[in-house]
């Protein structure tokens, strides 16, 4: 395979632009990628692999984070996504008390059309080239069977099928952690965590969103859903007996809880202005389009926001358990701690009169700085 490696340790705008052969990369806000330890641009012409691996921090341990396969519009969009995601993984591991750093990878392509075993193996070779600084796992557009193919070329992969001794699909544990975050948020806002008859809008009904619906249905919630995949949305609505809201109307309806479980940046100027809910708690990463601004805007609207990198940490706990050889019971107990941590962060936010995102970020940074 003809591999093209570009490793960047000290990030500069000019260096990034010089490193990428395509001319569709624009200058990004330097605050997004400041502090990243390493970025690896990966290209393999024999398998048509185009990928980016970003390692944000290894202060607490190797950078662990899933690999996402998505049909990005251009390389600029992919770079922006992987940098934000890898940074989020650092804080997710820190605030959850795991001895892991933050890393993430993206493969540019349509997972339904472009994915091959050879492409997965090629990506595995790039992961191996980092010598354990980055451990990959499953994310959007990927599956445990893909991890099995990646494993052929590197040992630095978790989330492999259970028959291989892995922890399998982390989505159900991610959803369980989000459910714990919702319960903790409800306890703080309403004085109890009884979700009976609460109206919940789940945006994005992939694996995490689908499992979250199951947890919420058991608690007697009224579920409303939306997804860009019309066929999948209709199937979920029929199988799980939930209602659909159109894309044009989904932010104009009133809900008790909004659970973003699709891609990020749904908490932006337009949507926050329209939102009518009391709690936001979901599984998507990077829900705030602008950190330090949109979280403050939510606070001013008296909408309680459960920080995403806290409550969606169940999947990370699940793959960490694979490294530590924990049993399922211990993994679930660790995930259940998200309930108490959510409440403690919400209390800190209230006491210090700061946004919930800032409160969570300060706790994560305190552990890193130690």
């Amino acid at each position: 395979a003809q591999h093209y490696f570009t490793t960047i340790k000290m990030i500069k705008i000019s260096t990034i632009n010089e490193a990428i052969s395509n001319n569709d990369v624009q200058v990004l806000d330097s605050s997004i990628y400041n502090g990243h330890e390493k970025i690896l641009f990966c290209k393999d012409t024999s398998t048509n692999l185009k990928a980016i691996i970003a390692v944000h921090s290894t202060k607490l341990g190797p950078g662990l984070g899933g690999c996402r396969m998505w049909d990005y519009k251009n390389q600029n969009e992919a770079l922006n996504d992987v940098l934000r995601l890898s940074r989020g993984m650092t804080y997710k591991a820190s605030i959850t008390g795991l001895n892991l750093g933050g890393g993430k990878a993206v493969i540019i392509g349509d997972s339904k059309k472009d994915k091959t075993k050879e492409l997965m193996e090629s990506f595995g070779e790039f992961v191996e080239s980092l010598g354990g600084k980055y451990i990959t796992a499953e994310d959007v557009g990927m599956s445990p069977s893909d991890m099995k193919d990646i494993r052929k070329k590197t040992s630095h992969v978790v989330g492999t099928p259970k028959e291989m001794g892995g922890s399998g699909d982390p989505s159900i544990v991610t959803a369980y952690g989000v459910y714990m975050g919702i319960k903790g948020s409800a306890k703080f806002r309403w004085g109890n965590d009884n979700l009976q008859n609460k109206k919940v809008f789940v945006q994005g009904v992939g694996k995490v969103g689908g499992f979250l619906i199951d947890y919420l249905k058991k608690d007697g919630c009224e579920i409303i859903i939306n997804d860009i995949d019309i066929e999948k949305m209709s199937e979920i609505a029929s199988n799980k007996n939930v209602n659909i809201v159109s894309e044009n109307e989904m932010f104009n309806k009133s809900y008790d809880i909004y659970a973003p479980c699709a891609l990020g940046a749904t908490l932006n100027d337009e949507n926050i202005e329209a939102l009518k809910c009391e709690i936001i708690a979901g599984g998507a990463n990077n829900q705030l389009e602008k950190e330090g601004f949109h979280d403050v805007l939510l606070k001013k609207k008296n909408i309680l926001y459960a920080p995403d990198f806290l409550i969606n940490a169940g999947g990370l706990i699940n793959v960490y358990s694979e490294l530590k050889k924990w049993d399922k019971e211990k993994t679930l107990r660790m995930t259940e701690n998200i309930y108490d941590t959510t409440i403690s962060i919400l209390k800190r936010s209230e006491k210090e009169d700061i946004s919930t995102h800032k409160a969570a970020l300060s706790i994560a940074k305190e552990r890193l700085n130690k």
Side-chain angles (χ1 to χ4, degrees), residues 131-191:
K133 285 186 177 293
Y134 170 65
I135 301 172
T136 197
E138 179 191 350
D139 203 319
V140 176
M142 302 288 273
S143 69
S145 64
D146 296 325
M147 300 304 108
K148 183 178 178 180
D149 292 329
I150 293 169
R151 188 66 175 266
K152 293 175 184 176
K153 299 296 182 178
T154 181
S155 60
H156 306 301
V157 55
V158 288
T160 53
K162 291 183 178 179
E163 59 268 24
M164 291 181 64
S167 56
D169 189 346
S171 302
I172 190 166
V173 186
T174 301
Y176 186 56
V178 173
Y179 171 65
M180 288 291 105
I182 290 175
K183 298 275 279 185
S185 300
K187 174 72 174 176
F188 182 83
R189 173 50 64 98
W190 298 312

Side-chain angles (χ1 to χ4, degrees), residues 114-355:
D114 303 328
K115 188 191 296 181
T116 64
K117 290 182 181 294
E118 292 76 19
L119 186 142
M120 292 294 106
E121 290 180 24
S122 178
F123 173 72
E125 290 182 15
F126 282 102
V127 172
E128 180 65 21
S129 75
L130 291 172
K133 285 186 177 293
Y134 170 65
I135 301 172
T136 197
E138 179 191 350
D139 203 319
V140 176
M142 302 288 273
S143 69
S145 64
D146 296 325
M147 300 304 108
K148 183 178 178 180
D149 292 329
I150 293 169
R151 188 66 175 266
K152 293 175 184 176
K153 299 296 182 178
T154 181
S155 60
H156 306 301
V157 55
V158 288
T160 53
K162 291 183 178 179
E163 59 268 24
M164 291 181 64
S167 56
D169 189 346
S171 302
I172 190 166
V173 186
T174 301
Y176 186 56
V178 173
Y179 171 65
M180 288 291 105
I182 290 175
K183 298 275 279 185
S185 300
K187 174 72 174 176
F188 182 83
R189 173 50 64 98
W190 298 312
N192 66 76
D193 60 13
N194 185 353
L195 300 177
Q196 183 75 32
N197 297 322
K198 295 296 184 185
K199 186 180 288 188
V200 184
F201 169 39
V202 180
Q203 182 191 19
V205 290
K207 287 185 283 188
V208 173
F211 287 128
L212 179 61
I213 290 170
D214 295 337
Y215 288 121
L216 295 172
K217 288 279 287 184
K218 289 179 182 177
D219 272 13
C221 294
E222 178 186 345
I223 310 294
I224 302 95
I225 65 169
N226 181 270
D227 196 284
I228 59 173
D229 188 329
I230 304 299
E231 185 177 340
K232 182 198 297 180
M233 179 171 64
S234 300
E235 182 182 348
I236 291 284
S238 175
N239 293 343
K240 298 183 184 290
N241 191 27
V242 297
N243 298 314
I244 291 174
V245 63
S246 71
E247 186 175 353
N248 292 332
E249 295 183 325
M250 61 187 180
F251 289 111
N252 297 320
K253 301 286 186 180
S254 295
Y255 314 105
D256 295 301
I257 300 166
Y258 165 41
C261 294
L263 297 182
T266 60
L267 299 178
N268 51 49
D269 290 342
E270 182 181 353
N271 295 343
I272 291 174
E273 178 67 27
L275 266 176
K276 303 177 187 69
C277 65
E278 291 199 55
I279 293 172
I280 298 174
N285 288 305
N286 300 322
Q287 294 169 23
L288 298 165
E289 186 178 60
K290 296 178 185 175
E291 295 179 14
F293 178 76
H294 288 126
D295 48 316
V296 175
L297 203 58
L298 290 170
K299 186 176 186 297
K300 288 179 179 177
K301 283 197 69 171
N302 196 31
I303 297 176
L304 190 156
Y305 168 62
D308 50 40
F309 65 87
L310 164 65
I311 71 167
N312 67 13
L316 182 61
I317 294 169
N318 187 69
V319 292
Y320 185 66
S321 72
E322 189 174 327
L323 297 174
K324 293 295 182 180
K325 308 300 181 185
W326 292 346
D327 58 26
K328 183 179 178 181
E329 288 70 25
K330 183 169 182 177
T331 303
L332 291 178
R333 285 198 306 271
M334 285 284 293
T335 307
E336 285 167 1
N337 289 340
I338 290 173
Y339 178 98
D340 292 326
T341 309
T342 299
I343 293 174
S344 68
I345 284 170
L346 298 179
K347 287 180 177 178
R348 180 167 180 164
S349 166
E350 183 178 63
K351 181 180 178 181
E352 299 182 13
D353 194 26
I354 57 177
S355 75

